[in-house]
Amino acid sequence: MAPVHGVKTITTNVGWSVLSKTATFGLKFVTVPILARLLSPDEFGVVAIALTVVQFLTMIGGAGLTAALIMQQDTDEDTVHSVFWANLAIACLMSFFLYAGAEPLGTLMGAPESGPLLQVMALLIPLQLSGDVAYTLLAKRMNFSKDAMWSTISESVAAIAAVVMAYHGFGVWALVTQLFCAALIRLVGLYSASRYLPRPVLRPRKLTPLLGFSSGVMGSEIANFVTFQSPMIVIARLLGLADAGAYSVANRFASIPNQVVLTAVMGVLFPAFSLMGDDRKRRSNALMLSTQVTTVLLAPAMFGLWAVAQPAMTAIFGQGWAHAWPVLGLLALSKGIITPCSTFIPYLKGTGHGRVLFWSAVIRAIVTTAAIAFAAWYGNLVDAMIALCVVNAVTLIGYSWVVFRVEDIPLLSGLVTSSRSMINAMVMAVCVRAAMGHFQARLDNPYLELVAGAALGGLVYGVLLLLTERTLLRKLLQLVKTRSAVAV
């Protein structure tokens, strides 16, 4: 019988994951601007295109088997080993076909220069998928502290290596080295932490019970991947590598808050929801609390970045990237709009609603790709980012309707509860944006403008939070007191 994990276990693991992502965020906050100053937009663009292909094939190679392994309550060793070898076999096959078709694929995607990179980066597929089973074992044990430690080490070492290589003129290969270095160190760490040792056992009949759930998860993951990566392909094809590079740099920076909070929370919530079984009350409480907390943390960061995008782009990336500040601001805005949906995907996955998850993800992928392509075809990069904001606003309503209907939560009350902090963040951002004109006239320095904007934004958001989220704050305070009492 699977162990029952309560709020304490979940929050502890979320804390470890957030701590890991925060450390990585601090390093990326320094290294991404350095790399942007050392490398050109074209170099960022060509690596981003190649990485998109590799990530897509890695997702297909996993085939959702490890997700199904997490959902399975009682797992024997033969099943675990069979999933490992099935994943590895698919990964090697994907790697071979990518290597063979790298040049025509790069041309098809509008980046012929990416052919040699794709051939080298094809090796990332088996390197990344080899660690999936080890990570799954840690997730089933809700032991995320060790994964957090190794993720921090791998990302830190890889980022430093990339900066050193870029400084010495290695160009795009600095970014490629960063990817390989991070994947290899994390792979070693996962095996060390999980103490998993693959054995030569492959029993296809053990995989059969996993295929039903894994196929739905795989389909939804592919659709989600298209949603997040299609803008890069569309922009490269319709607007060129320079715009693709500007989008890549802005997206890397705008995604850092999500990587700190959202990635950590989603990684813990999926196994947590799967272990709650049919306990609807616990699921509903966990869903609403996790949604509120992630929105409280993410929304002000994203909307605040939109408010100070102009001085931020100049101060962080240099005058050569100053023209791309509207892209950074609109990307941050699009991510801010979608923050209340941050827990919906792990909820649908963890509660076994694979079909609902699949069709929701497919519809979102189609609408997102079509909207950005239409805007890029008839306009420019800024128009494409505006289209992304509109699509995400519609997605917020759609995903909320789907999830609240599954959990039997009234749509209006659910939206009000989950989006209240996002509305606070919007009000804060508008106030800061309105004040930026006075800051620019008086300060005339992007660094001072950033400091002034952040201070004003923090003050306004803090006041709004105290006025509208007192119930949530009391609940979190009580949770902290309970944890402290248990520790004592």
Side-chain angles (χ1 to χ4, degrees):
M1 182 177 178
V4 177
H5 296 285
V7 174
K8 178 183 175 182
T9 304
I10 296 172
T11 53
T12 299
N13 282 283
V14 168
W16 276 110
S17 295
V18 170
L19 182 63
S20 166
K21 300 302 179 182
T22 302
T24 305
F25 159 76
L27 191 63
K28 285 186 176 181
F29 188 85
V30 176
T31 57
V32 170
I34 293 175
L35 290 171
R37 292 171 183 265
L38 295 173
L39 302 174
S40 69
D42 285 357
E43 288 174 320
F44 265 96
V46 72
V47 174
I49 294 279
L51 183 59
T52 299
V53 178
V54 171
Q55 289 176 334
F56 178 71
L57 293 178
T58 301
M59 185 180 306
I60 295 177
L65 290 174
T66 52
L69 201 61
I70 290 178
M71 289 292 295
Q72 195 174 56
Q73 298 298 323
D74 299 313
T75 305
D76 58 84
E77 290 189 4
D78 285 358
T79 302
V80 174
H81 297 316
S82 297
V83 169
F84 171 82
W85 292 112
N87 270 8
L88 186 59
I90 296 172
C92 292
L93 197 61
M94 292 286 183
S95 181
F96 171 78
F97 281 114
L98 178 58
Y99 182 89
E103 293 188 4
L105 183 59
T107 302
L108 179 65
M109 297 176 66
E113 305 92 331
S114 66
L117 285 178
L118 280 171
Q119 290 182 324
V120 174
M121 291 170 65
L123 297 174
L124 278 171
I125 300 174
L127 191 61
Q128 291 178 345
L129 286 179
S130 296
D132 276 6
V133 169
Y135 172 80
T136 298
L137 295 176
L138 289 176
K140 285 179 73 69
R141 302 167 193 161
M142 293 295 287
N143 187 1
F144 288 89
S145 59
K146 294 180 180 178
D147 173 62
M149 178 187 71
W150 282 105
S151 294
T152 303
I153 293 173
S154 63
E155 292 291 342
S156 301
V157 173
I160 294 171
V163 170
V164 172
M165 291 188 67
Y167 180 78
H168 286 89
F170 283 91
V172 295
W173 297 107
L175 300 176
V176 174
T177 300
Q178 181 180 14
L179 297 171
F180 274 94
C181 188
L184 184 60
I185 294 175
R186 186 168 184 268
L187 179 65
V188 173
L190 285 175
Y191 278 101
S192 174
S194 65
R195 300 188 181 279
Y196 171 65
L197 182 63
R199 295 180 181 177
V201 176
L202 177 59
R203 307 196 191 284
R205 61 183 177 83
K206 292 288 187 179
L207 301 176
T208 304
L210 305 178
L211 294 178
F213 180 78
S214 68
S215 60
V217 171
M218 181 184 70
S220 64
E221 291 293 344
I222 291 174
N224 285 326
F225 184 86
V226 171
T227 299
F228 296 121
Q229 299 298 333
S230 62
M232 176 61 66
I233 307 300
V234 171
I235 291 167
R237 288 288 299 175
L238 299 180
L239 300 177
L241 280 179
D243 276 355
Y247 171 83
S248 175
V249 167
N251 192 47
R252 278 189 175 209
F253 190 76
S255 297
I256 288 176
N258 278 352
Q259 292 171 352
V260 174
V261 178
L262 188 55
T263 306
V265 170
M266 289 179 67
V268 175
L269 286 182
F270 167 43
F273 279 127
S274 69
L275 292 170
M276 289 179 186
D278 297 325
D279 192 338
R280 180 177 289 259
K281 182 178 180 181
R282 290 181 65 215
R283 284 199 331 237
S284 296
N285 290 338
L287 172 65
M288 296 310 298
L289 179 61
S290 58
T291 301
Q292 287 180 277
V293 171
T294 52
T295 305
V296 165
L297 295 174
L298 280 177
M302 304 287 36
F303 283 96
L305 183 56
W306 168 78
V308 298
Q310 186 169 6
M313 203 70 189
T314 303
I316 296 171
F317 295 100
Q319 194 62 41
W321 295 84
H323 67 282
W325 76 264
V327 180
L328 175 63
L330 289 169
L331 272 171
L333 184 62
S334 70
K335 296 177 190 299
I337 293 170
I338 210 74
T339 47
C341 299
S342 55
T343 60
F344 292 169
I345 291 177
Y347 165 79
L348 291 173
K349 188 190 297 186
T351 53
H353 291 90
R355 186 178 296 274
V356 176
L357 180 64
F358 171 74
W359 285 112
S360 300
V362 168
I363 293 171
R364 183 186 179 190
I366 294 173
V367 173
T368 300
T369 305
I372 291 177
F374 181 84
W377 179 267
Y378 289 100
N380 53 30
L381 183 57
V382 172
D383 295 321
M385 297 300 98
I386 293 174
L388 182 60
C389 292
V390 174
V391 169
N392 279 358
V394 176
T395 300
L396 170 63
I397 304 299
Y399 258 116
S400 298
W401 178 78
V402 168
V403 171
F404 294 152
R405 184 179 181 185
V406 168
E407 199 57 38
D408 200 21
I409 297 174
L411 176 61
L412 184 59
S413 64
L415 270 175
V416 170
T417 302
S418 62
S419 303
R420 196 160 44 223
S421 295
M422 184 190 72
I423 297 172
N424 289 339
M426 291 175 63
V427 173
M428 174 271 293
V430 171
C431 293
V432 173
R433 192 67 176 264
M436 290 305 293
H438 299 287
F439 292 162
Q440 290 175 339
R442 295 172 179 271
L443 301 177
D444 196 27
N445 184 298
Y447 297 98
L448 294 178
E449 290 174 36
L450 273 178
V451 173
L456 177 61
L459 177 62
V460 173
Y461 185 72
V463 171
L464 292 173
L465 198 63
L466 290 173
L467 291 175
T468 62
E469 293 287 4
R470 288 193 297 270
T471 301
L472 175 62
L473 295 175
R474 281 196 296 266
K475 187 183 297 184
L476 294 176
L477 182 60
Q478 183 61 40
L479 180 61
V480 171
K481 289 180 178 178
T482 302
R483 286 176 50 79
S484 299
V486 171
V488 173

